[in-house]
Amino acid sequence: MTKPTKTVAQLSARARALLFALVVTAGILNLVDRQIISVLKPIIATDLGWSDDDYGTLAAWFQGGAAFAFLFTGWIVDKLGVKWANPIGVAAWSIAAMAHGWARSMTEFVMIRVSLGATEAMGTPTGIKTIASVLPKNWRSSGFGATNAANSIGAILAPLAIPGVALLVGWRGTFVAAGALGLVWAAVWLIATRRVTFSPPRPVEIDAAPPTDYGPILRNRQTWAIAVAKILSDATWWLLLFWLPDFFHRQYGLTGVALGVPLAIAYGGAAVGSLLGGGVSTRLLSLGYSINAVRKGILLVAALCVLPIPLVLYAGNYAVTIGLMALTLAAHQAFSTNLFALIADVVPQDKLGRVTAFGSFSGNVGGMVIAKVAGLVLTAGLGYLPLFLFASVSYLLAIGWIQLLLPVLRPVEPR
């Protein structure tokens, strides 16, 4: 006899933990797939004859593909629901990752990077919506923190594992192997949720607005507070995600496997920041502090921690440089964790996917611009100073913008 289906609310704590663990794992795969090209940049650039501007162009196209796709993925996730959005998204970006193994010309790489960016854009709105469905309200901050920490774990694993895999199967085989893991994940998700019913997607009415009609959310101050904050803060994150291996290569002559240790430590800081940003906010909220005080307080502390980043150019000490980078990435993830939690605080559930996606679209626009600007700045011989000076104030500008548009955060009640 076929076992009856269960709603998420009826699942045991163990079953919820399994679903949450799968969401966390998807985040790791998402980041590893996009990081392969940056970790192996010296090898691929030598093989294919890329310049810094070429690499910056590829990074910008990746961000552009993701940014454009975010205008649609939020709507797709809201309509599909998390049960189907998860495996479809992971399978799609895994296939795009595998396609890198057969690319040879710059045009082919541009097309594939755009495809990877566009498909990976399913990850953020799906992850946020899934966590909001699976975890109790009071645990969402910790859930978002754990998810961001998982992304950082992906960034740690990437420089440690990718060079070793590349030694065994080459840089092309590394892309194929990473994509294959994603296809396995999609199969596991389908098995784990085969008798689980999530909140059903709202039916599409005949006269419903098309998926690109963002009018209803674009009229909200919450949307624009989040969007501009994401542009400013994510620009720094993407700058470091794409160019940190190159920075250590230029500053200390590191390449290949030797990059693993400093990058792992730096992104270890990001993981710690995610967990602290989520855990501290959960604790403060449980003690009765207001959403307004907790979110803005943590955002401000995180912003102040990024201020010293230009000092990495003058530290003259390998350990100090790694420590400052780890602090910066920890601050970003604490900031990002609470910014995502803020979205869930102030946006109604039926708009959550679209607002999250539009915020991610905005963040990717910031990433697209900074990726191309970084390539041009470095090609012009100006070094990393102009880029790190912008990074040092980007988070303060973001929290200032949030305060301007949302002087008081008022959480919405669940429907």
Side-chain angles (χ1 to χ4, degrees), residues 141-142 145 274-284 337:
S141 294
S142 293
S274 298
L275 295 174
L276 283 177
V280 170
S281 63
T282 295
R283 178 60 177 166
L284 292 176
T337 294

Side-chain angles (χ1 to χ4, degrees), residues 93-415:
W93 80 58
S94 297
I95 292 170
M98 295 175 75
H100 287 70
W102 291 273
R104 297 190 177 277
S105 68
M106 177 60 68
T107 300
E108 290 172 345
F109 263 96
V110 166
M111 293 173 62
I112 291 172
R113 292 307 288 179
V114 169
S115 299
L116 182 64
T119 50
E120 285 200 344
M122 285 287 287
T124 300
T126 303
I128 296 298
K129 197 173 182 73
T130 305
I131 291 172
S133 299
V134 171
L135 296 184
K137 186 177 181 180
N138 289 342
W139 284 93
R140 288 177 186 171
S141 294
S142 293
F144 295 138
T147 304
N148 271 346
N151 292 341
S152 300
I153 291 171
I156 295 169
L157 293 176
L160 291 176
I162 289 172
V165 175
L167 287 175
L168 293 175
V169 298
W171 64 263
R172 296 183 183 277
T174 304
F175 282 107
V176 176
L181 286 177
L183 296 179
V184 172
W185 185 99
V188 172
W189 173 271
L190 290 173
I191 294 170
T193 61
R194 66 191 183 282
R195 294 190 180 93
V196 179
T197 301
F198 293 82
S199 299
R202 296 174 63 187
V204 181
E205 300 174 4
I206 296 176
D207 60 347
T212 53
D213 182 8
Y214 272 64
I217 67 167
L218 295 184
R219 289 193 290 266
N220 297 335
R221 295 169 69 88
Q222 294 92 330
T223 301
W224 290 106
I226 293 160
V228 175
K230 289 289 287 180
I231 289 174
L232 292 166
S233 59
D234 280 16
T236 295
W237 170 253
W238 289 112
L239 171 67
L240 297 181
L241 200 64
F242 282 122
W243 291 95
L244 193 55
D246 181 76
F247 167 76
F248 279 118
H249 176 66
R250 291 170 185 261
Q251 198 81 351
Y252 295 103
L254 304 179
T255 187
V257 177
L259 283 168
V261 173
L263 293 177
I265 294 173
Y267 284 106
V272 171
S274 298
L275 295 174
L276 283 177
V280 170
S281 63
T282 295
R283 178 60 177 166
L284 292 176
L285 290 172
S286 69
L287 292 175
Y289 289 93
S290 69
I291 288 287
N292 187 71
V294 172
R295 298 290 180 232
K296 291 181 179 177
I298 293 177
L299 292 178
L300 179 59
V301 171
L304 292 173
C305 288
V306 182
L307 278 175
I309 188 174
L311 297 179
V312 299
L313 297 169
Y314 308 102
N317 183 287
Y318 182 61
V320 172
T321 299
I322 297 173
L324 287 171
M325 284 300 185
L327 176 64
T328 298
L329 292 171
H332 169 84
Q333 289 293 61
F335 192 99
S336 179
T337 294
N338 280 272
L339 188 55
F340 277 125
L342 187 154
I343 298 173
D345 291 334
V346 302
V347 176
Q349 179 71 17
D350 61 350
K351 296 181 179 180
L352 188 57
R354 280 171 290 162
V355 174
T356 301
F358 187 74
S360 297
F361 157 77
S362 303
N364 276 267
V365 169
M368 178 175 63
V369 172
I370 200 69
K372 183 59 178 175
V373 168
L376 293 172
V377 167
L378 293 172
T379 299
L382 299 178
Y384 277 96
L385 181 59
L387 301 171
F388 288 165
L389 285 174
F390 162 77
S392 69
V393 298
S394 59
Y395 296 85
L396 285 173
L397 294 172
I399 182 61
W401 176 257
I402 291 173
Q403 179 63 24
L404 180 65
L405 264 65
L406 302 175
V408 179
L409 299 179
R410 295 184 175 87
V412 296
E413 294 297 327
R415 295 184 177 182

